[in-house]
Amino acid sequence: GTALAYTPLMKSIRLIARLVRRPPASVELVRFAIVGGLGTATNLALFFVGVDLGGMPPLVGTVVCFAVTVSQNYALNELWTFATRGDGKLAWVRYWKFIVASLVGLAVNVVVLVALIRTFSFPLLVIPQALGISAGMVVNFVASRQMVFQRSR
């Protein structure tokens, strides 16, 4: 009787241990979204300081903000979101792959934004921008998970 009662407990403990070692995609997606949110906050704060307060041209500000936030997001995703997939160290190859994935996500964002604006009427343009960001984030997450932060073999 004791061995049977012990089996479900052991299965639960093994499952928890596996989830801690290798979080499921849903946990990685939530972490990825948190990192993206922090990146967005950093981007907007830097843009406000550089462009609105500092007089930097908006296009230059956008490029500078992208460079800073893509670097911040790479580091946080490498060290937290996908930490169980690699060796826990920052790497130039993964950094450049992440930049490419981020640029693809940005392209999807822009395509969705433009398509929505041309197709529908919105009371605020932030609505199609939010939808574009969401679409870009999904593409960026899949690319990051499958190509940038592949599991160590």
Side-chain angles (χ1 to χ4, degrees):
T2 306
L4 291 177
Y6 190 66
T7 303
L9 176 62
M10 288 307 295
K11 284 183 181 178
S12 297
I13 291 171
R14 281 191 208 106
L15 174 63
I16 292 168
R18 185 171 47 83
L19 291 176
V20 169
R21 280 193 318 270
R22 292 189 175 185
S26 59
V27 171
E28 290 177 340
L29 179 60
V30 168
R31 288 179 181 179
F32 192 84
I34 290 169
V35 168
L38 292 171
T40 300
T42 299
N43 187 303
L44 294 175
L46 290 174
F47 191 88
F48 176 73
V49 170
V51 175
D52 291 327
L53 298 180
M56 182 183 295
L59 186 56
V60 173
T62 297
V63 171
V64 169
C65 290
F66 178 83
V68 170
T69 56
V70 78
S71 299
Q72 171 186 301
N73 288 358
Y74 164 72
L76 291 173
N77 281 314
E78 179 77 66
L79 300 173
W80 182 52
T81 306
F82 300 110
T84 61
R85 292 177 160 265
D87 56 9
K89 298 176 184 172
L90 301 177
W92 284 109
V93 171
R94 285 190 301 272
Y95 175 63
W96 289 110
K97 286 181 180 181
F98 185 77
I99 290 172
V100 170
S102 296
L103 289 171
V104 171
L106 176 62
V108 169
N109 178 352
V110 170
V111 167
V112 169
L113 173 68
V114 171
L116 288 172
I117 289 172
R118 288 183 179 174
T119 307
F120 302 103
S121 177
F122 292 92
L124 298 170
L125 292 179
V126 75
I127 296 168
Q129 171 65 347
L131 295 170
I133 287 171
S134 298
M137 186 195 84
V138 169
V139 169
N140 193 357
F141 173 72
V142 171
S144 292
R145 193 165 194 271
Q146 299 301 320
M147 295 183 303
V148 180
F149 303 103
Q150 298 167 336
R151 287 210 187 274
S152 299
R153 305 267 185 250

